[in-house]
Amino acid sequence: KVFTDKVSNRLSNKYSIISEFIDKNIKEPKHFLKVNLDYVDIKWLQISKLVDNAITLEESSLKQRELEIYLNKFNNNDVNVLRVKTKITTHPIVMLQIQENVIEGKKLCLKGLQTAKEINDKELQIIFLYHLTDFLILERKLQEYIDISEQVLTLSNELNKESSYYYSNIIHLVDAYIFKGGNNKRVKKLLKILYENENTKIFSYYLFSKFVSKLGKNSIEKKEILTLFK
C-alpha cells in the first residue's frame, strides 16, 4: 500500500502502468473473517486515479463493481466496513459530477458526510467535503466553495497524517481566491505550500503566473514573485 500510494502520486509516472502492476500483483483476499483495509484502499485509489487520468471510465466502473462485491461480504456493524463502504461511494459521486447531475451528486456527498460525522472520521469528512465543492462550482457558488475548501484544510491540519486530498484542495483554494480577487496574503501562504512540495511545485508555476496577472504593476506581491523566479 505504501508503495502504490507513493508511485500513484508521482506526476512523472503514467498511471496505466501502475494500474497494470496493481492488477497483476494485488489480488482479492480469500479470507473473509475481517475486511482487508489495505486492499480496499489500494483498489479505491486505483479506481480514483483511472478516472482522474481519463484512461477509461468503463474500466474504473468495472473495478468499482468488483470492490463493492468484495465489501458486501462483510457486515456494516463493523465500523471499518461501514467506513470503507462509505468511502468508495466517491466513484459514483465523480460519475455524477461528470454528468453534471448536481442534485444527486450533492445528495450522495451529504449522505457520506453525515456517516463520516456519525463515526467521527475526519479523513472521511474531508473526502466528501472536497467532492461537494465540485458541485458548488457547477452551481457557481464561489464563496461557499472557498468556505468549504478552508474547512477541508482545517480538518486536514488536525490529522496525524497528510490527507490524500491535502494538496488538491489547496490548488482549488488558491485558484478560487485568485479568481475572486483580494486575499493576497492568504494566496501567498498557500502558494508557498505548493511550491515547496516536490509533487505540486509544477502546479504552483501556473498559479503563480495566474496570480501575477491579477496584480497591479507596483504590487509588492508581484515584485516578490518575480524576484523568486529571477
Side-chain angles (χ1 to χ4, degrees):
K1 181 183 180 300
V2 171
F3 174 72
T4 53
D5 280 357
K6 284 186 176 181
V7 294
S8 295
N9 288 321
R10 288 180 189 161
L11 298 173
S12 58
N13 290 331
K14 286 186 177 179
Y15 192 75
S16 57
I17 297 172
I18 300 167
S19 183
E20 288 169 9
F21 171 84
I22 291 171
D23 288 342
K24 183 178 179 181
N25 294 280
I26 309 296
K27 303 301 180 183
E28 181 181 303
K30 298 300 180 186
H31 302 288
F32 301 113
L33 293 176
K34 187 177 180 182
V35 65
N36 189 308
L37 299 177
D38 285 343
Y39 170 76
V40 175
D41 275 344
I42 290 169
K43 299 302 291 185
W44 172 77
L45 182 60
Q46 181 187 23
I47 292 162
S48 302
K49 290 291 183 179
L50 286 171
V51 175
D52 290 345
N53 289 270
I55 296 173
T56 68
L57 295 179
E58 293 81 6
E59 183 179 351
S60 62
S61 294
L62 176 62
K63 293 184 187 304
Q64 173 74 10
R65 287 193 292 273
E66 291 171 350
L67 186 54
E68 288 170 356
I69 290 168
Y70 169 71
L71 285 175
N72 284 336
K73 295 170 183 175
F74 301 96
N75 195 314
N76 283 2
N77 290 331
D78 181 339
V79 70
N80 284 324
V81 174
L82 178 59
R83 180 185 181 275
V84 289
K85 279 188 177 181
T86 303
K87 184 177 181 179
I88 70 165
T89 61
T90 53
H91 179 71
I93 286 172
V94 171
M95 299 300 281
L96 288 167
Q97 180 208 340
I98 292 169
Q99 296 161 14
E100 298 190 2
N101 188 336
V102 174
I103 294 174
E104 293 302 318
K106 287 181 74 173
K107 190 185 295 183
L108 261 185
C109 286
L110 294 172
K111 182 181 178 183
L113 182 60
Q114 181 61 37
T115 302
K117 288 179 177 178
E118 287 172 359
I119 62 176
N120 194 28
D121 191 314
K122 289 182 180 179
E123 187 176 3
L124 210 53
Q125 289 177 50
I126 287 167
I127 290 171
F128 289 102
L129 285 169
Y130 177 86
H131 284 289
L132 180 60
T133 61
D134 289 329
F135 295 99
L136 294 175
I137 281 294
L138 292 174
E139 293 181 304
R140 300 184 181 278
K141 294 180 177 178
L142 179 61
Q143 190 55 52
E144 193 174 346
Y145 176 95
I146 289 171
D147 293 342
I148 289 181
S149 296
E150 285 285 11
Q151 187 181 344
V152 168
L153 192 54
T154 299
L155 284 168
S156 297
N157 290 331
E158 292 173 0
L159 294 178
N160 295 325
K161 60 178 182 177
E162 203 170 80
S163 163
S164 57
Y165 287 77
Y166 179 69
Y167 292 104
S168 297
N169 182 64
I170 292 177
I171 290 169
H172 282 190
L173 196 49
V174 171
D175 210 11
Y177 273 133
I178 293 172
F179 182 81
K180 182 183 177 185
N183 301 284
N184 289 352
K185 287 185 178 179
R186 185 64 175 147
V187 171
K188 280 170 56 181
K189 184 177 180 180
L190 295 171
L191 277 172
K192 186 173 184 289
I193 295 171
L194 297 176
Y195 182 73
E196 291 178 349
N197 179 268
E198 182 183 347
N199 286 320
T200 58
K201 192 168 189 174
I202 192 168
F203 291 110
S204 77
Y205 299 158
Y206 161 71
L207 292 168
F208 269 120
S209 63
K210 196 171 184 179
F211 186 37
V212 165
S213 73
K214 295 278 187 175
L215 297 171
K217 184 177 180 181
N218 298 316
S219 162
I220 294 172
E221 288 86 0
K222 186 170 188 174
K223 289 177 182 177
E224 287 175 349
I225 293 167
L226 294 176
T227 301
L228 173 66
F229 288 98
K230 298 182 173 59

PDB file of all heavy atoms in Angstrom, residues 26-60:
ATOM      1  N   ILE A  26      -1.831  -7.438  -6.970  1.00  0.00           N
ATOM      2  CA  ILE A  26      -2.730  -7.281  -5.821  1.00  0.00           C
ATOM      3  C   ILE A  26      -4.032  -8.033  -6.091  1.00  0.00           C
ATOM      4  O   ILE A  26      -4.868  -7.579  -6.873  1.00  0.00           O
ATOM      5  CB  ILE A  26      -3.035  -5.794  -5.538  1.00  0.00           C
ATOM      6  CG1 ILE A  26      -1.744  -4.969  -5.462  1.00  0.00           C
ATOM      7  CG2 ILE A  26      -3.863  -5.650  -4.261  1.00  0.00           C
ATOM      8  CD1 ILE A  26      -0.830  -5.345  -4.336  1.00  0.00           C
ATOM      9  N   LYS A  27      -4.184  -9.167  -5.468  1.00  0.00           N
ATOM     10  CA  LYS A  27      -5.369  -9.998  -5.688  1.00  0.00           C
ATOM     11  C   LYS A  27      -6.344  -9.867  -4.520  1.00  0.00           C
ATOM     12  O   LYS A  27      -5.945  -9.581  -3.394  1.00  0.00           O
ATOM     13  CB  LYS A  27      -4.966 -11.475  -5.852  1.00  0.00           C
ATOM     14  CG  LYS A  27      -3.966 -11.727  -6.977  1.00  0.00           C
ATOM     15  CD  LYS A  27      -4.500 -11.265  -8.328  1.00  0.00           C
ATOM     16  CE  LYS A  27      -3.491 -11.519  -9.446  1.00  0.00           C
ATOM     17  NZ  LYS A  27      -3.978 -10.995 -10.746  1.00  0.00           N
ATOM     18  N   GLU A  28      -7.608 -10.114  -4.793  1.00  0.00           N
ATOM     19  CA  GLU A  28      -8.622 -10.040  -3.748  1.00  0.00           C
ATOM     20  C   GLU A  28      -8.326 -11.066  -2.661  1.00  0.00           C
ATOM     21  O   GLU A  28      -8.094 -12.240  -2.946  1.00  0.00           O
ATOM     22  CB  GLU A  28     -10.010 -10.300  -4.333  1.00  0.00           C
ATOM     23  CG  GLU A  28     -11.114 -10.219  -3.295  1.00  0.00           C
ATOM     24  CD  GLU A  28     -12.483 -10.512  -3.881  1.00  0.00           C
ATOM     25  OE1 GLU A  28     -12.878  -9.820  -4.839  1.00  0.00           O
ATOM     26  OE2 GLU A  28     -13.155 -11.452  -3.387  1.00  0.00           O
ATOM     27  N   PRO A  29      -8.319 -10.644  -1.393  1.00  0.00           N
ATOM     28  CA  PRO A  29      -8.066 -11.585  -0.287  1.00  0.00           C
ATOM     29  C   PRO A  29      -9.112 -12.694  -0.271  1.00  0.00           C
ATOM     30  O   PRO A  29     -10.287 -12.460  -0.542  1.00  0.00           O
ATOM     31  CB  PRO A  29      -8.194 -10.695   0.958  1.00  0.00           C
ATOM     32  CG  PRO A  29      -7.945  -9.308   0.460  1.00  0.00           C
ATOM     33  CD  PRO A  29      -8.503  -9.260  -0.920  1.00  0.00           C
ATOM     34  N   LYS A  30      -8.660 -13.885   0.078  1.00  0.00           N
ATOM     35  CA  LYS A  30      -9.563 -15.051   0.079  1.00  0.00           C
ATOM     36  C   LYS A  30     -10.160 -15.326   1.456  1.00  0.00           C
ATOM     37  O   LYS A  30     -11.031 -16.176   1.595  1.00  0.00           O
ATOM     38  CB  LYS A  30      -8.804 -16.291  -0.411  1.00  0.00           C
ATOM     39  CG  LYS A  30      -8.289 -16.178  -1.842  1.00  0.00           C
ATOM     40  CD  LYS A  30      -9.422 -15.957  -2.841  1.00  0.00           C
ATOM     41  CE  LYS A  30      -8.915 -15.836  -4.261  1.00  0.00           C
ATOM     42  NZ  LYS A  30      -9.996 -15.472  -5.213  1.00  0.00           N
ATOM     43  N   HIS A  31      -9.688 -14.606   2.451  1.00  0.00           N
ATOM     44  CA  HIS A  31     -10.211 -14.808   3.808  1.00  0.00           C
ATOM     45  C   HIS A  31     -11.202 -13.697   4.140  1.00  0.00           C
ATOM     46  O   HIS A  31     -10.906 -12.524   3.974  1.00  0.00           O
ATOM     47  CB  HIS A  31      -9.062 -14.821   4.822  1.00  0.00           C
ATOM     48  CG  HIS A  31      -8.039 -15.876   4.526  1.00  0.00           C
ATOM     49  ND1 HIS A  31      -8.274 -17.211   4.724  1.00  0.00           N
ATOM     50  CD2 HIS A  31      -6.785 -15.784   4.032  1.00  0.00           C
ATOM     51  CE1 HIS A  31      -7.214 -17.908   4.377  1.00  0.00           C
ATOM     52  NE2 HIS A  31      -6.295 -17.063   3.940  1.00  0.00           N
ATOM     53  N   PHE A  32     -12.381 -14.070   4.613  1.00  0.00           N
ATOM     54  CA  PHE A  32     -13.444 -13.091   4.806  1.00  0.00           C
ATOM     55  C   PHE A  32     -13.881 -12.943   6.275  1.00  0.00           C
ATOM     56  O   PHE A  32     -14.982 -12.513   6.563  1.00  0.00           O
ATOM     57  CB  PHE A  32     -14.652 -13.461   3.937  1.00  0.00           C
ATOM     58  CG  PHE A  32     -14.307 -13.518   2.470  1.00  0.00           C
ATOM     59  CD1 PHE A  32     -14.344 -14.730   1.789  1.00  0.00           C
ATOM     60  CD2 PHE A  32     -13.936 -12.376   1.798  1.00  0.00           C
ATOM     61  CE1 PHE A  32     -14.008 -14.783   0.443  1.00  0.00           C
ATOM     62  CE2 PHE A  32     -13.610 -12.417   0.445  1.00  0.00           C
ATOM     63  CZ  PHE A  32     -13.637 -13.621  -0.234  1.00  0.00           C
ATOM     64  N   LEU A  33     -12.979 -13.301   7.205  1.00  0.00           N
ATOM     65  CA  LEU A  33     -13.301 -13.100   8.613  1.00  0.00           C
ATOM     66  C   LEU A  33     -13.218 -11.621   8.974  1.00  0.00           C
ATOM     67  O   LEU A  33     -13.942 -11.133   9.826  1.00  0.00           O
ATOM     68  CB  LEU A  33     -12.329 -13.905   9.493  1.00  0.00           C
ATOM     69  CG  LEU A  33     -12.450 -15.434   9.385  1.00  0.00           C
ATOM     70  CD1 LEU A  33     -11.378 -16.101  10.233  1.00  0.00           C
ATOM     71  CD2 LEU A  33     -13.842 -15.883   9.828  1.00  0.00           C
ATOM     72  N   LYS A  34     -12.324 -10.906   8.273  1.00  0.00           N
ATOM     73  CA  LYS A  34     -12.120  -9.492   8.548  1.00  0.00           C
ATOM     74  C   LYS A  34     -11.769  -8.770   7.257  1.00  0.00           C
ATOM     75  O   LYS A  34     -10.991  -9.280   6.449  1.00  0.00           O
ATOM     76  CB  LYS A  34     -10.986  -9.337   9.582  1.00  0.00           C
ATOM     77  CG  LYS A  34     -10.788  -7.930  10.090  1.00  0.00           C
ATOM     78  CD  LYS A  34      -9.692  -7.925  11.154  1.00  0.00           C
ATOM     79  CE  LYS A  34      -9.474  -6.510  11.688  1.00  0.00           C
ATOM     80  NZ  LYS A  34      -8.383  -6.490  12.695  1.00  0.00           N
ATOM     81  N   VAL A  35     -12.354  -7.579   7.055  1.00  0.00           N
ATOM     82  CA  VAL A  35     -12.086  -6.830   5.831  1.00  0.00           C
ATOM     83  C   VAL A  35     -10.621  -6.400   5.792  1.00  0.00           C
ATOM     84  O   VAL A  35     -10.044  -5.999   6.795  1.00  0.00           O
ATOM     85  CB  VAL A  35     -13.016  -5.595   5.723  1.00  0.00           C
ATOM     86  CG1 VAL A  35     -12.746  -4.591   6.839  1.00  0.00           C
ATOM     87  CG2 VAL A  35     -12.893  -4.925   4.362  1.00  0.00           C
ATOM     88  N   ASN A  36     -10.012  -6.516   4.630  1.00  0.00           N
ATOM     89  CA  ASN A  36      -8.617  -6.111   4.454  1.00  0.00           C
ATOM     90  C   ASN A  36      -8.596  -4.647   4.009  1.00  0.00           C
ATOM     91  O   ASN A  36      -8.847  -4.329   2.848  1.00  0.00           O
ATOM     92  CB  ASN A  36      -7.933  -7.002   3.416  1.00  0.00           C
ATOM     93  CG  ASN A  36      -6.437  -6.768   3.356  1.00  0.00           C
ATOM     94  OD1 ASN A  36      -5.992  -5.634   3.227  1.00  0.00           O
ATOM     95  ND2 ASN A  36      -5.668  -7.840   3.429  1.00  0.00           N
ATOM     96  N   LEU A  37      -8.306  -3.752   4.945  1.00  0.00           N
ATOM     97  CA  LEU A  37      -8.392  -2.307   4.690  1.00  0.00           C
ATOM     98  C   LEU A  37      -7.343  -1.830   3.695  1.00  0.00           C
ATOM     99  O   LEU A  37      -7.615  -0.925   2.890  1.00  0.00           O
ATOM    100  CB  LEU A  37      -8.266  -1.541   6.010  1.00  0.00           C
ATOM    101  CG  LEU A  37      -9.350  -1.829   7.052  1.00  0.00           C
ATOM    102  CD1 LEU A  37      -9.059  -1.069   8.337  1.00  0.00           C
ATOM    103  CD2 LEU A  37     -10.727  -1.473   6.511  1.00  0.00           C
ATOM    104  N   ASP A  38      -6.158  -2.416   3.728  1.00  0.00           N
ATOM    105  CA  ASP A  38      -5.118  -2.018   2.768  1.00  0.00           C
ATOM    106  C   ASP A  38      -5.541  -2.362   1.337  1.00  0.00           C
ATOM    107  O   ASP A  38      -5.344  -1.571   0.414  1.00  0.00           O
ATOM    108  CB  ASP A  38      -3.791  -2.707   3.096  1.00  0.00           C
ATOM    109  CG  ASP A  38      -3.109  -2.080   4.300  1.00  0.00           C
ATOM    110  OD1 ASP A  38      -3.481  -0.949   4.666  1.00  0.00           O
ATOM    111  OD2 ASP A  38      -2.208  -2.718   4.873  1.00  0.00           O
ATOM    112  N   TYR A  39      -6.111  -3.543   1.173  1.00  0.00           N
ATOM    113  CA  TYR A  39      -6.585  -3.951  -0.151  1.00  0.00           C
ATOM    114  C   TYR A  39      -7.639  -2.973  -0.668  1.00  0.00           C
ATOM    115  O   TYR A  39      -7.595  -2.526  -1.818  1.00  0.00           O
ATOM    116  CB  TYR A  39      -7.172  -5.374  -0.096  1.00  0.00           C
ATOM    117  CG  TYR A  39      -7.890  -5.774  -1.366  1.00  0.00           C
ATOM    118  CD1 TYR A  39      -7.174  -6.129  -2.510  1.00  0.00           C
ATOM    119  CD2 TYR A  39      -9.293  -5.790  -1.433  1.00  0.00           C
ATOM    120  CE1 TYR A  39      -7.832  -6.481  -3.680  1.00  0.00           C
ATOM    121  CE2 TYR A  39      -9.951  -6.136  -2.595  1.00  0.00           C
ATOM    122  CZ  TYR A  39      -9.219  -6.481  -3.722  1.00  0.00           C
ATOM    123  OH  TYR A  39      -9.873  -6.811  -4.880  1.00  0.00           O
ATOM    124  N   VAL A  40      -8.585  -2.622   0.190  1.00  0.00           N
ATOM    125  CA  VAL A  40      -9.660  -1.700  -0.213  1.00  0.00           C
ATOM    126  C   VAL A  40      -9.083  -0.342  -0.598  1.00  0.00           C
ATOM    127  O   VAL A  40      -9.469   0.249  -1.607  1.00  0.00           O
ATOM    128  CB  VAL A  40     -10.704  -1.530   0.919  1.00  0.00           C
ATOM    129  CG1 VAL A  40     -11.743  -0.482   0.529  1.00  0.00           C
ATOM    130  CG2 VAL A  40     -11.385  -2.856   1.209  1.00  0.00           C
ATOM    131  N   ASP A  41      -8.130   0.160   0.199  1.00  0.00           N
ATOM    132  CA  ASP A  41      -7.541   1.473  -0.098  1.00  0.00           C
ATOM    133  C   ASP A  41      -6.750   1.463  -1.406  1.00  0.00           C
ATOM    134  O   ASP A  41      -6.785   2.435  -2.172  1.00  0.00           O
ATOM    135  CB  ASP A  41      -6.634   1.925   1.054  1.00  0.00           C
ATOM    136  CG  ASP A  41      -7.413   2.622   2.160  1.00  0.00           C
ATOM    137  OD1 ASP A  41      -8.572   3.018   1.905  1.00  0.00           O
ATOM    138  OD2 ASP A  41      -6.876   2.785   3.261  1.00  0.00           O
ATOM    139  N   ILE A  42      -6.036   0.375  -1.660  1.00  0.00           N
ATOM    140  CA  ILE A  42      -5.288   0.260  -2.920  1.00  0.00           C
ATOM    141  C   ILE A  42      -6.248   0.304  -4.108  1.00  0.00           C
ATOM    142  O   ILE A  42      -6.024   1.023  -5.091  1.00  0.00           O
ATOM    143  CB  ILE A  42      -4.450  -1.039  -2.945  1.00  0.00           C
ATOM    144  CG1 ILE A  42      -3.284  -0.942  -1.963  1.00  0.00           C
ATOM    145  CG2 ILE A  42      -3.925  -1.321  -4.366  1.00  0.00           C
ATOM    146  CD1 ILE A  42      -2.576  -2.258  -1.722  1.00  0.00           C
ATOM    147  N   LYS A  43      -7.330  -0.463  -4.022  1.00  0.00           N
ATOM    148  CA  LYS A  43      -8.291  -0.520  -5.125  1.00  0.00           C
ATOM    149  C   LYS A  43      -9.069   0.789  -5.259  1.00  0.00           C
ATOM    150  O   LYS A  43      -9.371   1.240  -6.373  1.00  0.00           O
ATOM    151  CB  LYS A  43      -9.259  -1.696  -4.921  1.00  0.00           C
ATOM    152  CG  LYS A  43      -8.592  -3.063  -4.887  1.00  0.00           C
ATOM    153  CD  LYS A  43      -7.796  -3.371  -6.154  1.00  0.00           C
ATOM    154  CE  LYS A  43      -8.655  -3.584  -7.375  1.00  0.00           C
ATOM    155  NZ  LYS A  43      -7.875  -3.985  -8.558  1.00  0.00           N
ATOM    156  N   TRP A  44      -9.378   1.422  -4.121  1.00  0.00           N
ATOM    157  CA  TRP A  44     -10.091   2.709  -4.146  1.00  0.00           C
ATOM    158  C   TRP A  44      -9.250   3.767  -4.849  1.00  0.00           C
ATOM    159  O   TRP A  44      -9.741   4.518  -5.700  1.00  0.00           O
ATOM    160  CB  TRP A  44     -10.409   3.141  -2.717  1.00  0.00           C
ATOM    161  CG  TRP A  44     -10.980   4.537  -2.622  1.00  0.00           C
ATOM    162  CD1 TRP A  44     -12.259   4.925  -2.920  1.00  0.00           C
ATOM    163  CD2 TRP A  44     -10.293   5.714  -2.192  1.00  0.00           C
ATOM    164  NE1 TRP A  44     -12.398   6.285  -2.703  1.00  0.00           N
ATOM    165  CE2 TRP A  44     -11.210   6.784  -2.258  1.00  0.00           C
ATOM    166  CE3 TRP A  44      -8.989   5.972  -1.754  1.00  0.00           C
ATOM    167  CZ2 TRP A  44     -10.866   8.090  -1.904  1.00  0.00           C
ATOM    168  CZ3 TRP A  44      -8.643   7.269  -1.400  1.00  0.00           C
ATOM    169  CH2 TRP A  44      -9.577   8.306  -1.477  1.00  0.00           C
ATOM    170  N   LEU A  45      -7.964   3.806  -4.509  1.00  0.00           N
ATOM    171  CA  LEU A  45      -7.063   4.776  -5.143  1.00  0.00           C
ATOM    172  C   LEU A  45      -6.910   4.471  -6.628  1.00  0.00           C
ATOM    173  O   LEU A  45      -6.903   5.379  -7.468  1.00  0.00           O
ATOM    174  CB  LEU A  45      -5.691   4.749  -4.452  1.00  0.00           C
ATOM    175  CG  LEU A  45      -4.663   5.746  -4.991  1.00  0.00           C
ATOM    176  CD1 LEU A  45      -5.150   7.183  -4.842  1.00  0.00           C
ATOM    177  CD2 LEU A  45      -3.318   5.573  -4.278  1.00  0.00           C
ATOM    178  N   GLN A  46      -6.813   3.188  -6.966  1.00  0.00           N
ATOM    179  CA  GLN A  46      -6.706   2.793  -8.374  1.00  0.00           C
ATOM    180  C   GLN A  46      -7.921   3.274  -9.169  1.00  0.00           C
ATOM    181  O   GLN A  46      -7.779   3.862 -10.245  1.00  0.00           O
ATOM    182  CB  GLN A  46      -6.571   1.271  -8.487  1.00  0.00           C
ATOM    183  CG  GLN A  46      -6.430   0.787  -9.925  1.00  0.00           C
ATOM    184  CD  GLN A  46      -6.477  -0.731 -10.041  1.00  0.00           C
ATOM    185  OE1 GLN A  46      -7.017  -1.405  -9.150  1.00  0.00           O
ATOM    186  NE2 GLN A  46      -5.924  -1.266 -11.106  1.00  0.00           N
ATOM    187  N   ILE A  47      -9.097   3.042  -8.641  1.00  0.00           N
ATOM    188  CA  ILE A  47     -10.333   3.464  -9.310  1.00  0.00           C
ATOM    189  C   ILE A  47     -10.355   4.978  -9.485  1.00  0.00           C
ATOM    190  O   ILE A  47     -10.684   5.492 -10.567  1.00  0.00           O
ATOM    191  CB  ILE A  47     -11.565   2.992  -8.505  1.00  0.00           C
ATOM    192  CG1 ILE A  47     -11.680   1.469  -8.567  1.00  0.00           C
ATOM    193  CG2 ILE A  47     -12.847   3.639  -9.028  1.00  0.00           C
ATOM    194  CD1 ILE A  47     -12.575   0.861  -7.494  1.00  0.00           C
ATOM    195  N   SER A  48      -9.971   5.706  -8.445  1.00  0.00           N
ATOM    196  CA  SER A  48      -9.955   7.169  -8.492  1.00  0.00           C
ATOM    197  C   SER A  48      -8.970   7.678  -9.533  1.00  0.00           C
ATOM    198  O   SER A  48      -9.276   8.592 -10.297  1.00  0.00           O
ATOM    199  CB  SER A  48      -9.586   7.741  -7.116  1.00  0.00           C
ATOM    200  OG  SER A  48     -10.493   7.312  -6.134  1.00  0.00           O
ATOM    201  N   LYS A  49      -7.782   7.076  -9.566  1.00  0.00           N
ATOM    202  CA  LYS A  49      -6.739   7.528 -10.497  1.00  0.00           C
ATOM    203  C   LYS A  49      -7.093   7.202 -11.943  1.00  0.00           C
ATOM    204  O   LYS A  49      -6.748   7.955 -12.850  1.00  0.00           O
ATOM    205  CB  LYS A  49      -5.393   6.890 -10.128  1.00  0.00           C
ATOM    206  CG  LYS A  49      -4.780   7.404  -8.843  1.00  0.00           C
ATOM    207  CD  LYS A  49      -4.322   8.843  -8.981  1.00  0.00           C
ATOM    208  CE  LYS A  49      -3.645   9.353  -7.729  1.00  0.00           C
ATOM    209  NZ  LYS A  49      -3.188  10.748  -7.870  1.00  0.00           N
ATOM    210  N   LEU A  50      -7.774   6.083 -12.161  1.00  0.00           N
ATOM    211  CA  LEU A  50      -8.191   5.738 -13.526  1.00  0.00           C
ATOM    212  C   LEU A  50      -9.141   6.803 -14.075  1.00  0.00           C
ATOM    213  O   LEU A  50      -9.078   7.168 -15.252  1.00  0.00           O
ATOM    214  CB  LEU A  50      -8.861   4.360 -13.546  1.00  0.00           C
ATOM    215  CG  LEU A  50      -7.937   3.160 -13.403  1.00  0.00           C
ATOM    216  CD1 LEU A  50      -8.749   1.879 -13.226  1.00  0.00           C
ATOM    217  CD2 LEU A  50      -7.015   3.025 -14.617  1.00  0.00           C
ATOM    218  N   VAL A  51     -10.018   7.310 -13.211  1.00  0.00           N
ATOM    219  CA  VAL A  51     -10.937   8.383 -13.635  1.00  0.00           C
ATOM    220  C   VAL A  51     -10.172   9.688 -13.819  1.00  0.00           C
ATOM    221  O   VAL A  51     -10.336  10.385 -14.823  1.00  0.00           O
ATOM    222  CB  VAL A  51     -12.066   8.573 -12.597  1.00  0.00           C
ATOM    223  CG1 VAL A  51     -12.943   9.760 -12.990  1.00  0.00           C
ATOM    224  CG2 VAL A  51     -12.917   7.311 -12.501  1.00  0.00           C
ATOM    225  N   ASP A  52      -9.297  10.021 -12.858  1.00  0.00           N
ATOM    226  CA  ASP A  52      -8.541  11.276 -12.919  1.00  0.00           C
ATOM    227  C   ASP A  52      -7.679  11.358 -14.172  1.00  0.00           C
ATOM    228  O   ASP A  52      -7.512  12.434 -14.754  1.00  0.00           O
ATOM    229  CB  ASP A  52      -7.628  11.423 -11.694  1.00  0.00           C
ATOM    230  CG  ASP A  52      -8.417  11.682 -10.417  1.00  0.00           C
ATOM    231  OD1 ASP A  52      -9.612  12.021 -10.532  1.00  0.00           O
ATOM    232  OD2 ASP A  52      -7.842  11.532  -9.325  1.00  0.00           O
ATOM    233  N   ASN A  53      -7.127  10.214 -14.567  1.00  0.00           N
ATOM    234  CA  ASN A  53      -6.240  10.189 -15.734  1.00  0.00           C
ATOM    235  C   ASN A  53      -7.000   9.919 -17.035  1.00  0.00           C
ATOM    236  O   ASN A  53      -6.389   9.750 -18.089  1.00  0.00           O
ATOM    237  CB  ASN A  53      -5.137   9.138 -15.544  1.00  0.00           C
ATOM    238  CG  ASN A  53      -4.123   9.565 -14.504  1.00  0.00           C
ATOM    239  OD1 ASN A  53      -3.135  10.209 -14.825  1.00  0.00           O
ATOM    240  ND2 ASN A  53      -4.356   9.226 -13.245  1.00  0.00           N
ATOM    241  N   ALA A  54      -8.330   9.859 -16.922  1.00  0.00           N
ATOM    242  CA  ALA A  54      -9.201   9.683 -18.099  1.00  0.00           C
ATOM    243  C   ALA A  54      -8.763   8.487 -18.951  1.00  0.00           C
ATOM    244  O   ALA A  54      -8.736   8.551 -20.178  1.00  0.00           O
ATOM    245  CB  ALA A  54      -9.207  10.956 -18.944  1.00  0.00           C
ATOM    246  N   ILE A  55      -8.383   7.394 -18.278  1.00  0.00           N
ATOM    247  CA  ILE A  55      -7.948   6.200 -19.028  1.00  0.00           C
ATOM    248  C   ILE A  55      -9.183   5.540 -19.649  1.00  0.00           C
ATOM    249  O   ILE A  55      -9.309   5.500 -20.861  1.00  0.00           O
ATOM    250  CB  ILE A  55      -7.153   5.237 -18.117  1.00  0.00           C
ATOM    251  CG1 ILE A  55      -5.851   5.941 -17.664  1.00  0.00           C
ATOM    252  CG2 ILE A  55      -6.821   3.944 -18.842  1.00  0.00           C
ATOM    253  CD1 ILE A  55      -5.045   5.201 -16.640  1.00  0.00           C
ATOM    254  N   THR A  56     -10.067   5.004 -18.847  1.00  0.00           N
ATOM    255  CA  THR A  56     -11.396   4.608 -19.344  1.00  0.00           C
ATOM    256  C   THR A  56     -12.353   4.593 -18.169  1.00  0.00           C
ATOM    257  O   THR A  56     -12.045   4.036 -17.110  1.00  0.00           O
ATOM    258  CB  THR A  56     -11.422   3.198 -20.000  1.00  0.00           C
ATOM    259  OG1 THR A  56     -11.211   2.216 -19.006  1.00  0.00           O
ATOM    260  CG2 THR A  56     -10.425   3.060 -21.119  1.00  0.00           C
ATOM    261  N   LEU A  57     -13.488   5.203 -18.347  1.00  0.00           N
ATOM    262  CA  LEU A  57     -14.497   5.205 -17.289  1.00  0.00           C
ATOM    263  C   LEU A  57     -15.072   3.810 -17.104  1.00  0.00           C
ATOM    264  O   LEU A  57     -15.433   3.415 -16.004  1.00  0.00           O
ATOM    265  CB  LEU A  57     -15.610   6.194 -17.624  1.00  0.00           C
ATOM    266  CG  LEU A  57     -15.194   7.672 -17.670  1.00  0.00           C
ATOM    267  CD1 LEU A  57     -16.391   8.542 -18.035  1.00  0.00           C
ATOM    268  CD2 LEU A  57     -14.604   8.113 -16.339  1.00  0.00           C
ATOM    269  N   GLU A  58     -15.134   3.037 -18.211  1.00  0.00           N
ATOM    270  CA  GLU A  58     -15.669   1.676 -18.145  1.00  0.00           C
ATOM    271  C   GLU A  58     -14.801   0.794 -17.257  1.00  0.00           C
ATOM    272  O   GLU A  58     -15.306   0.017 -16.439  1.00  0.00           O
ATOM    273  CB  GLU A  58     -15.766   1.062 -19.554  1.00  0.00           C
ATOM    274  CG  GLU A  58     -16.787   1.715 -20.460  1.00  0.00           C
ATOM    275  CD  GLU A  58     -16.287   2.993 -21.119  1.00  0.00           C
ATOM    276  OE1 GLU A  58     -15.087   3.316 -20.950  1.00  0.00           O
ATOM    277  OE2 GLU A  58     -17.098   3.671 -21.778  1.00  0.00           O
ATOM    278  N   GLU A  59     -13.486   0.926 -17.417  1.00  0.00           N
ATOM    279  CA  GLU A  59     -12.560   0.107 -16.625  1.00  0.00           C
ATOM    280  C   GLU A  59     -12.682   0.450 -15.139  1.00  0.00           C
ATOM    281  O   GLU A  59     -12.718  -0.438 -14.282  1.00  0.00           O
ATOM    282  CB  GLU A  59     -11.118   0.338 -17.089  1.00  0.00           C
ATOM    283  CG  GLU A  59     -10.107  -0.541 -16.365  1.00  0.00           C
ATOM    284  CD  GLU A  59      -8.678  -0.324 -16.834  1.00  0.00           C
ATOM    285  OE1 GLU A  59      -8.477   0.386 -17.848  1.00  0.00           O
ATOM    286  OE2 GLU A  59      -7.779  -0.844 -16.165  1.00  0.00           O
ATOM    287  N   SER A  60     -12.757   1.734 -14.840  1.00  0.00           N
ATOM    288  CA  SER A  60     -12.866   2.138 -13.436  1.00  0.00           C
ATOM    289  C   SER A  60     -14.198   1.676 -12.837  1.00  0.00           C
ATOM    290  O   SER A  60     -14.250   1.242 -11.685  1.00  0.00           O
ATOM    291  CB  SER A  60     -12.725   3.656 -13.295  1.00  0.00           C
ATOM    292  OG  SER A  60     -13.756   4.327 -13.982  1.00  0.00           O
TER     293      SER A  60
END
